[in-house]
Every structure is written in C-alpha cells, then in structure tokens.
Amino acid sequence: MPYDLIDIGANLTHDSFDSDRGAVLQRARDAGVTRMIITGSSNQGSLDAVKLAESEPGKLYATAGVHPHHAADFDATSGTLITELAASDAVVAVGECGLDYFRNFSPREAQLHAFQAQLEIAASTGLPVFLHQRDAHDDFVEILEPMLAKIPRAVAHCFTGEHESLREYLAMGLWIGITGWICDERRGKHLHDIVADVPDDRLMIETDAPYLLPRTIEPKPKTRRNEPAYLTEVLRVVAEARGQSEEHVARITTENAVRFFDLG
C-alpha cells in the first residue's frame, strides 16, 4: 500500500515535462504522492504554476514568487502579479524567494530588494513563504528574521546547509524541506548526519524535480530527470537517517505539509 505523500516542491512547469506531464503526474500518484506543490520562480513561471495547479484542485497547488536567479527582473509588476495570484485558492505560499550568492545570476542588490519585497507580500496576504538560500546565510537571516513575526510560517526549501545553520533556522522557527540531496553520498553526507535533529513537527520532504535525482535509486532511471514519483526514495533515506520507520516519516511529513500550507 503506497504512502500518502506530499511533494512540497516540484518544478512541474519545467520544459523537460512538456512531452509527458500527464504521465509524470500519474506515476507520482501510483507511487503514493497524492499532492504536489508546483514551484513558481519567475513572473511567467508563477503564472504557469498557478494555471497547472488550478487544473487539478485539491491535488495540485502552487507557489507564486521570483527566485533570486531572476531577481534582476523583479519590479512593481512582479509584486502586483504575486499579490494577485495569491488570491487564488491554488496558491499556498509566496516564493520561491530568497538569496543565492553561489552563482549571482542577479546582482546582490536586486536579490536583496526582491527578497524583502516578497516577504512583505507574504505578510500582507497572510501566506507562508517558500525560501531559497545558498551561500548567503548572513544576509538571508538579517532580512528574514525581523519579518518572521509578520509571516505565518516559513520553510527553508531544499535545505543543504551545515549543523550550525540548521540550528539557527530551527531557533528562528523555520520548517525544513529535505530533497534528494540527502541521497548523495558525495555532497549530502553531512545532511544525512544531521537530519535527525529536525523535530518531527518541522520536517517536510520534496523532490525539486526535475533537479536533484536521488543517487540511491535502484535501478537507475534512464535519464537524469527527477520527478515526484521518486519522493519515495527521499522518504526512505530520510527515515533511515533519522532512525524512524518510513510509515512514521510519511505520516509526519504529510501532516506537516497540510498544516504548513493550510491544505485543509
């Protein structure tokens, strides 16, 4: 009997799914991934995510936001669009928003502006935030922390950090999203070692599909494309690392996602 799982972050509007999106969704459901939250990461990407989510109410949901990679494109129109999309029943969070100094695809000043603006939209709409942070910890905390009292909930999406940042995020009240990064014996061993420190009531799981294909999947898929059906592998490795049963981790992560995103 498959588990009832929720993938809290899947980039299902990515063009790699254009030829077989329906089949991808069906494989996910066959694997027990009954609900998926589609990540919005640009103006057009958020529009596409909401449109797809609205096509299957109660099964698909969306976030609306501008990823730091696209922060240079964030303007007043972006803010208005996110605010308008937030009114849709399908939209359950503002984001993906935050800071990414690893690649700096957008200037840091633009990233800081877009991040602050989206936190303010979350505060004004009453939606939680779906957060991205890479190599920008200090600035990220400096902007986020004063806003947390005005925002209902915040999740560190695709958390890949070290023990110190995990402790700090938990102390700030953040929820933690774990991806297939934990399945990577090269880059994710530290995550495997610390994921047990996330309290049961703050843990969620996600694929970040089509990225971050779990390296532990057997047999190996024919392509490197990740998809929501593989959330079961993230579940397996997280449960193993936490010393908990898959049934337990499936239950708590689904309950947490329902509570965090107010899925009802």
Side-chain angles (χ1 to χ4, degrees), residues 6 35 92 128 152-153 175 199-204 251-264:
I6 299 175
R35 286 170 282 185
V92 292
R153 293 167 299 283
W175 303 44
D200 272 10
D201 62 355
R202 298 264 207 98
L203 178 70
M204 294 186 282
R251 179 178 60 78
I252 62 170
T253 55
T254 295
E255 288 174 354
N256 291 343
V258 168
R259 197 164 76 250
F260 183 91
F261 294 105
D262 194 20
L263 303 184

Side-chain angles (χ1 to χ4, degrees), residues 30-96:
D30 291 345
V33 184
T34 58
R35 286 170 282 185
M36 290 155 261
I37 296 167
I38 305 160
T39 308
S41 54
S42 64
N43 290 351
Q44 188 59 51
S46 295
L47 282 164
D48 293 344
V50 175
K51 183 179 179 183
L52 179 56
E54 287 178 339
S55 73
E56 296 198 37
K59 296 178 180 177
L60 300 179
Y61 301 89
T63 70
V66 174
H67 188 288
H69 287 348
H70 304 293
D73 300 325
F74 186 94
D75 56 17
T77 306
S78 307
T80 301
L81 176 65
I82 295 167
T83 303
E84 289 174 350
L85 291 175
S88 167
D89 290 342
V91 175
V92 292
V94 171
E96 178 176 357

